[in-house]
Amino acid sequence: QVQLVESGGGLVQAGGSLRLSCAASGRTFTINAMRWYRQAPGKEREFVAQVSWIGSGTYSADALKGRFTIAGDNAKNTIYLQMNSLKPEDTAIYYCNAILQGGRSDYWGQGTQVTVSS
């Protein structure tokens, strides 16, 4: 079992920044990669970014490159999402997701709310 806990959300004005964190615990040695997703009201959950513990590679959604940056600390089993130049359309619940060895990907955190005011 893997447990994921997000933190760092909040209310920010447009143009501001936030940094989200997601800490993994439990059988963390089984994690191959960790991802951020977000879900805005009335919309489907969408992929934001991924960091791989194998090779430490990162990947972000094209639409968010330049504003959002993902980073990971393998030793702390924690990933971060630095969000800059925030826009009202970035308002969403941001979720952390773990990809385990063998491809299982149904471990999610409880989410952290990000609200960007105009």
Side-chain angles (χ1 to χ4, degrees), residues 13-67:
Q13 289 188 334
S17 298
L18 281 175
R19 189 175 86 147
L20 307 182
S21 300
C22 173
S25 60
R27 296 171 61 87
T28 56
F29 61 90
T30 65
I31 298 175
N32 276 352
M34 294 177 70
R35 294 174 174 169
W36 286 103
Y37 285 80
R38 68 183 185 181
Q39 187 166 19
K43 295 188 177 181
E44 294 186 353
R45 193 170 296 188
E46 65 174 346
F47 170 80
V48 174
Q50 171 178 306
V51 60
S52 174
W53 295 142
I54 302 172
S56 300
T58 62
Y59 177 78
S60 299
D62 288 341
L64 300 175
K65 288 179 180 177
R67 295 194 302 121

Side-chain angles (χ1 to χ4, degrees), residues 38-114:
R38 68 183 185 181
Q39 187 166 19
K43 295 188 177 181
E44 294 186 353
R45 193 170 296 188
E46 65 174 346
F47 170 80
V48 174
Q50 171 178 306
V51 60
S52 174
W53 295 142
I54 302 172
S56 300
T58 62
Y59 177 78
S60 299
D62 288 341
L64 300 175
K65 288 179 180 177
R67 295 194 302 121
F68 288 17
T69 303
I70 190 171
D73 186 333
N74 199 344
K76 295 182 179 180
N77 297 304
T78 299
I79 63 170
Y80 307 93
L81 185 68
Q82 179 66 43
M83 305 184 294
N84 299 327
S85 301
L86 283 162
K87 304 175 181 179
E89 51 263 43
D90 294 318
T91 295
I93 300 175
Y94 285 71
Y95 295 94
C96 182
N97 174 247
I99 314 299
L100 306 188
Q101 297 167 6
R104 184 172 177 175
S105 61
D106 56 348
Y107 288 99
W108 295 87
Q110 82 287 354
T112 186
Q113 176 72 49
V114 171

